[in-house]
Amino acid sequence: MKKLLAAVIVVVLVFLAIWTVPYWTHGSKDVVVTGVDHKVMKDHGQVKDVYLVFTTDETYKNVDSPAYLKFNSSDIQGKLIQTGRFRISYYGFRIPMFSMYKNITKAEKIS
């Protein structure tokens, strides 16, 4: 019984770690924005706006994030439409095979 309980706890902790690991990977960076795009996607039957931000070195997404209390993706995207040099804050991973992008949480124009 103790081994079963320990195994269940380990499985729960592994799934919890996998689910939350993108939130441990926050950072900031100066980038040159070269373009933006807006996609409407279905996620579990719900329609969801996904903004993509193209830079000279990689692509980011810009979506609302309740975990970061970020609910202003449209406002951030409005800034990024101007293109140019920005200081961004982000979290997450870029894994092209799974269409995963780092999510922008803040953006400031720097030049």
Side-chain angles (χ1 to χ4, degrees):
M1 184 66 173
K2 287 183 181 182
K3 288 183 182 182
L4 178 63
L5 181 60
V8 169
I9 290 172
V10 167
V11 168
V12 168
L13 290 176
V14 166
F15 280 112
L16 187 60
I18 290 170
W19 184 62
T20 62
V21 76
Y23 301 105
W24 308 343
T25 57
H26 54 87
S28 65
K29 180 178 196 178
D30 292 350
V31 297
V32 176
V33 174
T34 59
V36 296
D37 194 13
H38 173 238
K39 295 194 179 277
V40 178
M41 304 176 104
K42 286 189 177 179
D43 186 22
H44 302 299
Q46 292 184 332
V47 176
K48 185 175 166 181
D49 289 315
V50 176
Y51 300 106
L52 295 177
V53 178
F54 305 103
T55 69
T56 53
D57 61 324
E58 86 182 273
T59 302
Y60 296 85
K61 70 179 176 180
N62 175 20
V63 296
D64 290 340
S65 175
Y68 277 80
L69 299 176
K70 177 193 169 212
F71 302 101
N72 62 342
S73 296
S74 298
D75 298 333
I76 291 173
Q77 198 70 4
K79 286 182 194 176
L80 295 169
I81 285 175
Q82 300 168 22
T83 68
R85 197 164 173 76
F86 287 85
R87 177 165 293 127
I88 61 168
S89 297
Y90 62 86
Y91 71 88
F93 298 107
R94 173 68 175 119
I95 304 175
M97 186 168 83
F98 298 120
S99 294
M100 288 177 60
Y101 302 95
K102 295 175 183 175
N103 188 19
I104 295 174
T105 55
K106 292 181 186 174
E108 288 180 38
K109 188 144 178 106
I110 55 177
S111 64

